């Protein structure tokens, strides 16, 4: 008998649901039921799972020879094009929202901060996986520096890319935001993060499916609630295609 991991089972099952049932899951009544079920699942998982439990890590011998690019591959905005043209020398990451000390960081400042390197598996909702090496700054370090307020429950990632003019964004809760493997990665496989993979900085939240790994991150915002932010679902795909917000694996 072949045993499969919970991570593999969820990737396969979610891929089938999203490829075959998108029209059903975007119906308001169905989405309301799914959202209620997701909240119950999240609460249950938080109760039985160590909040600091690590996703599996691998060695360089395990690196995938090809790591597919998911989502957008090149933001079309004039601002992003200008940043790309000068090697992101003038790019700045904004940190704000429900924090006592909003600030911004250049790419050079991010690279000079304490770093974490991890070799992990990216599990795409479409059913494929790849192993890559990521180096970046722990998100928790940045949030602590910004002095997040006690009321903040979520972190929003505002990105440079869009779909047909609709801005791309994603979000995670504070438990995942403070997890030791959640980093803002600027390096992939010991090379500067390629544009197709989200340069200059992308999110890596290793206990979640691939669509939570926001690329082209421009601004981080701590918020009390997801309501009123774009469609209120917590992310572009959650708003427009009924994807689950939690996406934990």
């Amino acid at each position: 008998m072949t045993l499969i991991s919970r991570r593999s089972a969820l990737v396969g099952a979610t891929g089938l649901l999203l490829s075959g049932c998108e029209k059903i899951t975007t119906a308001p009544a169905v989405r309301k039921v799914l959202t209620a079920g997701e909240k119950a699942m999240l609460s249950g998982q938080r109760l039985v799972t160590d909040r600091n439990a690590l996703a599996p890590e691998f060695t360089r011998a395990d690196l995938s020879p090809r790591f597919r690019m998911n989502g957008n591959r090149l933001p079309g905005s004039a601002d992003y094009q200008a940043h790309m043209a000068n090697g992101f020398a003038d790019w700045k990451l904004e940190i704000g929202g429900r924090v006592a000390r909003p600030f911004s960081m250049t790419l050079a400042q991010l690279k000079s901060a304490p770093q974490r390197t991890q070799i992990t598996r990216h599990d795409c909702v479409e059913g494929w996986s790849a192993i890559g090496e990521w180096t970046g700054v722990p998100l928790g370090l940045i949030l602590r520096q910004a002095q997040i307020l006690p009321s903040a429950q979520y972190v929003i990632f505002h990105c440079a890319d869009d779909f047909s003019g609709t801005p791309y964004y994603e979000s995670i809760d504070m438990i995942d935001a403070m997890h030791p493997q959640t980093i803002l990665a600027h390096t992939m496989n010991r090379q500067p993060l390629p544009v197709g993979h989200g340069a200059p900085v992308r999110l890596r939240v290793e206990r979640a499916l691939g669509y939570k790994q926001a690329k082209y991150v421009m601004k981080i915002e701590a918020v009390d609630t997801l309501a009123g932010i774009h469609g209120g679902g917590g992310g572009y795909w959650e708003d427009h295609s009924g994807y689950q917000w939690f996406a934990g694996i």
Side-chain angles (χ1 to χ4, degrees):
M1 180 176 66
T2 301
L3 297 178
I4 59 174
S5 68
R6 178 179 181 276
R7 174 182 285 245
S8 299
L10 279 172
V11 171
T14 307
L16 287 172
L17 283 171
L18 293 176
S19 62
C21 304
E22 183 171 313
K23 291 183 179 179
I24 296 175
T25 58
T26 53
V30 176
R31 288 190 64 177
K32 184 176 181 180
V33 173
L34 291 176
T35 299
E38 182 179 2
K39 288 180 179 178
M41 180 185 73
L42 172 59
S43 299
Q45 181 153 342
R46 292 303 192 207
L47 286 173
V48 301
T49 303
D50 178 1
R51 66 175 57 198
N52 290 316
L54 299 178
E57 295 195 17
F58 302 86
T59 70
R60 287 191 57 80
D62 301 312
L63 292 176
S64 298
R66 177 173 177 261
F67 199 119
R68 292 170 59 179
M69 299 176 187
N70 63 315
N72 287 320
R73 300 186 179 188
L74 177 62
S77 72
D79 284 347
Y80 184 85
Q81 296 286 328
H83 285 310
M84 184 175 65
N86 74 353
F88 301 102
D90 299 325
W91 172 90
K92 287 186 178 181
L93 175 68
E94 296 180 33
I95 300 96
R98 300 293 293 162
V99 300
R101 185 179 175 270
F103 66 99
S104 62
M105 298 181 75
T106 65
L107 184 57
Q109 288 172 327
L110 275 172
K111 290 182 176 181
S112 67
Q115 305 288 302
R116 176 183 172 89
T117 296
Q118 56 203 31
I119 300 176
T120 52
R121 194 174 83 188
H122 178 104
D123 289 309
C124 182
V125 72
E126 295 173 348
W128 60 268
S129 298
I131 294 174
E133 181 179 37
W134 310 94
T135 297
V137 182
L139 177 60
L141 185 152
I142 292 175
L143 294 177
R144 283 189 286 270
Q145 184 175 341
Q147 299 175 21
I148 54 174
L149 300 179
S151 63
Q153 301 296 311
Y154 305 96
V155 178
I156 306 288
F157 302 90
H158 300 277
C159 305
D161 57 331
D162 66 82
F163 285 88
S164 301
T166 301
Y168 192 87
Y169 80 106
E170 254 304 339
S171 66
I172 56 177
D173 65 13
M174 285 299 170
I175 292 178
D176 280 336
M178 293 298 185
H179 189 272
Q181 288 177 314
T182 299
I183 65 173
L184 295 173
H186 52 71
T187 298
M188 178 183 182
N189 295 339
R190 301 187 179 180
Q191 298 295 323
L193 188 66
V195 168
H197 282 289
V201 168
R202 74 175 296 167
L203 174 68
R204 292 301 307 175
V205 51
E206 303 298 354
R207 299 192 304 177
L209 288 169
Y211 63 86
K212 301 297 287 188
Q213 325 292 329
K215 304 195 300 185
Y216 314 112
V217 177
M218 302 294 288
K219 179 181 178 180
I220 295 173
E221 180 184 11
V223 299
D224 300 344
T225 176
L226 300 176
I229 299 173
H230 296 289
Y236 174 85
W237 294 113
E238 292 90 329
D239 288 345
H240 295 275
S241 296
Y243 282 33
Q244 289 189 346
W245 171 78
F246 178 45
I249 50 179

